[in-house]
Amino acid sequence: MNLEATRRRLTEKQADTVDKLTRAAMDVLSREGFSGLTVRMVAAQAGVGTATAYTYFSSKEHLVAEMFWRRLAATEAPSGDETDSTERVLEVLRQIALLLADEPTLAGAVTAALLGTDPDVAHLRLRIGGEIRQRLIDALGADSDPETVETLEMIYAGALVRAGMGYASYAEMADLMRKSALRVLRGR
């Protein structure tokens, strides 16, 4: 998979280096947690120079945000076989929430990273938000109401922050998002 990194277009060799770095980041994150993660440690784990790692990632937040973007981009949106738009939307929200449910360390790191101020993270936030928005629009159908889409985005964003703060697990947040989305979509 040759995903474009946020700082530049990649050759095949560069894409391989970025893949190595993102895989190594997961290993380091699993061992050290987000607070202990450094780009230098990730570079060492990946077998590349620190300067090389910084060529692709401006910070550990950028690296973690890229990991989430790649995971989201590699996950196909639900098929949309459901004829009911409400069920399609609920499936989209659930799928996104559960992307990190089995990896609480990564989930917490993603929340912290996406809330950061790094300009490269801001760029990824826009890409991630755009992808989620498009999946919601596709699930709602051609006559999707922009206010409904925005409300559903707020439900997702609020759930991400609450899970990141430890109020509930990502799996529990998926269930809470379902309840909130049903209230919006069915007017309950």
Side-chain angles (χ1 to χ4, degrees):
M1 171 180 10
N2 188 356
L3 295 174
E4 179 184 331
T6 58
R7 298 183 94 188
R8 59 188 32 250
R9 296 213 179 264
L10 302 176
T11 65
E12 189 172 334
K13 182 178 178 189
Q14 291 168 330
D16 288 343
T17 300
V18 170
D19 287 342
K20 278 187 205 176
L21 288 165
T22 55
R23 282 193 310 273
M26 191 64 229
D27 292 341
V28 174
L29 184 63
S30 296
R31 270 194 331 268
E32 305 293 332
F34 186 62
S35 62
L37 177 80
T38 66
V39 174
R40 180 180 303 275
M41 291 170 76
V42 170
Q45 177 81 25
V48 302
T50 302
T52 299
Y54 276 111
T55 299
Y56 300 104
F57 300 106
S58 59
S59 65
K60 71 179 184 178
E61 290 82 5
H62 181 206
L63 180 55
V64 170
E66 179 75 19
M67 291 166 61
F68 181 68
W69 163 247
R70 287 169 171 264
R71 186 165 294 188
L72 176 64
T75 304
E76 281 189 43
S79 64
D81 291 340
E82 287 286 334
T83 56
D84 179 40
S85 64
T86 296
E87 289 302 317
R88 289 191 307 263
V89 167
L90 295 175
E91 184 57 32
V92 166
L93 289 171
R94 181 166 192 74
Q95 180 193 50
I96 294 167
L98 295 179
L99 267 175
L100 303 172
D102 294 334
E103 300 169 277
T105 303
L106 176 59
V110 167
T111 300
L114 291 178
L115 294 175
T117 58
D118 183 319
D120 291 316
V121 172
H123 174 76
L124 275 168
R125 249 192 329 264
L126 290 174
R127 288 174 77 183
I128 291 164
E131 177 66 22
I132 292 169
R133 172 179 280 266
Q134 191 57 55
R135 289 183 186 198
L136 290 169
I137 290 169
D138 291 347
L140 283 166
D143 59 344
S144 63
D145 171 45
E147 288 182 17
T148 300
V149 174
E150 187 174 349
T151 302
L152 292 168
E153 288 175 309
M154 293 297 287
I155 289 169
Y156 168 74
L160 177 71
V161 170
R162 289 185 67 162
M165 293 172 63
Y167 289 145
S169 71
Y170 282 79
E172 291 167 324
M173 278 302 154
D175 294 334
L176 292 171
M177 277 195 317
R178 177 182 176 80
K179 288 178 187 175
S180 297
L182 280 172
R183 285 183 179 266
V184 169
L185 296 169
R186 294 189 177 154
R188 295 182 191 176

